[in-house]
Amino acid sequence: MNESCLEFKNPIQDAISRVRFAPQSNNLLISSWDPCLRLYDVDCSQLRLEAPSEAALLDCCFQEESVAFSAASDGSITRYDLHSGISNKIGNHDDIATCVEYSTETRQVITAGFDKKIIAWDIFGAKPLVYLRNLDAEVESMSLSGYELIIAVGSSVDIYDLRNSDKCVQSNKFCMDVPLRCVSSIPYLKGYAVGSVDGRVKLEISYPSSSNNIGYMFRCHPRSRDGRNHLVPVNDIAFNPFISGAFVTGDNVGYVTAWDAKSRRRLFELPDCANSIASLTYNNEGQILAVASSHTYQEATEIEKPPQIFVHKLEESHLGSVSDGSSSRK
């Protein structure tokens, strides 16, 4: 496996909140607390865009190759033209905006935040605010696949259908009321994985042409410290868009581990990072994994080591190591 560290002329000065690969290229979108949105071309190791913000950025996403959005600590939701660098605010939350996703199906920007609200912004219509939903708690994490919006609220996973958002389609309580840290939907199947603050991951996967659905929980990153189990939060989860059932988890002490959902086994582990794993993302072909090693906003301590972004080019042995060797694409 080949590993490289992204080099920036102006180094990232504060915590990295999110990294996301573009839909069709190896351009990497990076949001951070310094505060700035960056676009990095991984193929030629070049920074394409550096767009300063008025507030710390907690999340970012692509609409398409040339358009992106961010969610900021002042509640603002901003749209960026990645070619020109021009940005404009499309709306505001009443408190910190923590999550942003773009739905190609509904052509809406979906956001959530500490104001306990989910908002859908119709950026193409006359009315910017399509609907508003009040929740019982702050949204910690959010993921979108098709019409299915999955959010982590407290110790529950709530699922909404964007075609009818009046009520929650399904709500699943995590065991023992353990707070959730992250949720990730599966890009090619119905289902999700959720990570908790005590190191557990829960999987729920439905196969449309099979009754062999997957649903189980396991302890993901137990670490031995002084002869005792030391359980650390799972900060992010990313599914490989090309290999069915393959996903990676990143924890709060710098470990990234790859798993096979069907065989329930560990595939490989990357060399540990100096900081927590703040964010993970695969490119559209599932052959490149970007890892953001950084202090996270949930941590109270200041950064001791500078944040870094590592790019791992996966070898055939890793891509083909899933139990049944199946691909999610035909």
Side-chain angles (χ1 to χ4, degrees):
M1 183 183 299
N2 296 322
E3 177 190 271
S4 61
C5 182
L6 301 192
E7 299 291 339
F8 298 90
K9 184 177 180 180
N10 299 315
I12 300 174
Q13 298 296 325
D14 208 334
I16 299 169
S17 57
R18 177 75 72 175
V19 290
R20 300 216 197 196
F21 270 114
Q24 301 297 328
S25 70
N26 289 334
N27 288 335
L28 186 68
L29 194 65
I30 307 160
S31 58
S32 59
W33 280 65
D34 40 4
C36 194
L37 185 77
R38 296 172 175 85
L39 184 70
Y40 195 95
D41 187 334
V42 171
D43 288 334
C44 63
S45 301
Q46 184 176 351
L47 185 67
R48 296 293 187 186
L49 175 72
E50 192 172 74
S53 172
E54 295 178 358
L57 301 182
L58 274 70
D59 200 2
C60 64
C61 73
F62 280 98
Q63 174 186 333
E64 55 188 54
E65 289 288 328
S66 61
V67 179
F69 298 93
S70 71
S73 61
D74 63 357
S76 62
I77 307 300
T78 304
R79 180 184 185 274
Y80 301 82
D81 183 317
L82 299 177
H83 287 324
S84 66
I86 296 174
S87 63
N88 62 285
K89 290 184 180 179
I90 65 170
N92 266 86
H93 277 263
D94 297 330
D95 202 336
I96 296 173
T98 55
C99 306
V100 60
E101 296 277 357
Y102 179 76
S103 170
T104 56
E105 282 75 11
T106 65
R107 301 179 75 190
Q108 296 171 337
V109 180
I110 316 296
T111 63
F114 282 1
D115 56 1
K116 303 179 183 179
K117 297 174 181 177
I118 303 175
I119 303 177
W121 311 91
D122 183 2
I123 60 174
F124 299 100
K127 296 181 179 180
L129 180 63
V130 175
Y131 70 81
L132 174 67
R133 184 164 187 85
N134 294 310
L135 304 171
D136 296 329
E138 299 170 350
V139 176
E140 184 66 40
S141 180
M142 182 173 74
S143 189
L144 180 64
S145 180
Y147 289 106
E148 193 170 75
L149 178 68
I150 306 174
I151 63 171
V153 182
S155 59
S156 296
V157 177
D158 294 344
I159 302 176
Y160 294 86
D161 189 328
L162 294 182
R163 293 166 293 189
N164 181 17
S165 58
D166 292 338
K167 61 180 181 179
C168 178
V169 176
Q170 185 179 350
S171 182
N172 299 320
K173 192 81 170 178
F174 200 75
C175 78
M176 297 178 64
D177 293 333
V178 176
L180 302 178
R181 179 61 62 88
C182 63
V183 65
S184 179
S185 55
I186 306 173
Y188 43 81
L189 291 171
K190 187 178 180 63
Y192 63 88
V194 61
S196 70
V197 299
D198 72 347
R200 280 181 287 185
V201 168
K202 181 179 181 181
L203 279 168
E204 294 287 345
I205 304 176
S206 299
Y207 293 91
S209 59
S210 172
S211 60
N212 296 324
N213 295 334
I214 293 177
Y216 61 88
M217 186 185 302
F218 67 98
R219 291 203 177 274
C220 186
H221 295 278
R223 303 293 168 197
S224 178
R225 180 175 292 181
D226 299 329
R228 299 179 179 180
N229 287 331
H230 175 61
L231 304 179
V232 298
V234 179
N235 288 336
D236 202 11
I237 300 171
F239 283 89
N240 191 304
F242 192 77
I243 305 297
S244 179
F247 65 99
V248 289
T249 58
D251 69 18
N252 216 46
V253 292
Y255 287 91
V256 176
T257 308
W259 309 87
D260 176 10
K262 291 184 179 180
S263 68
R264 307 189 183 194
R265 65 186 178 95
R266 187 193 309 256
L267 298 177
F268 60 87
E269 189 171 81
L270 299 180
D272 60 303
C273 298
N275 287 311
S276 303
I277 304 302
S279 184
L280 300 163
T281 182
Y282 280 103
N283 71 337
N284 67 306
E285 293 296 333
Q287 298 174 337
I288 301 176
L289 175 66
V291 177
S293 169
S294 169
H295 170 87
T296 65
Y297 78 87
Q298 293 97 339
E299 297 175 66
T301 56
E302 295 182 358
I303 297 178
E304 296 182 358
K305 298 181 180 179
Q308 294 177 300
I309 299 175
F310 297 97
V311 172
H312 300 267
K313 294 185 178 180
L314 307 181
E315 300 171 355
E316 289 297 325
S317 59
H318 293 112
L319 293 174
S321 58
V322 179
S323 58
D324 61 358
S326 63
S327 167
S328 63
R329 298 181 183 180
K330 302 296 182 183

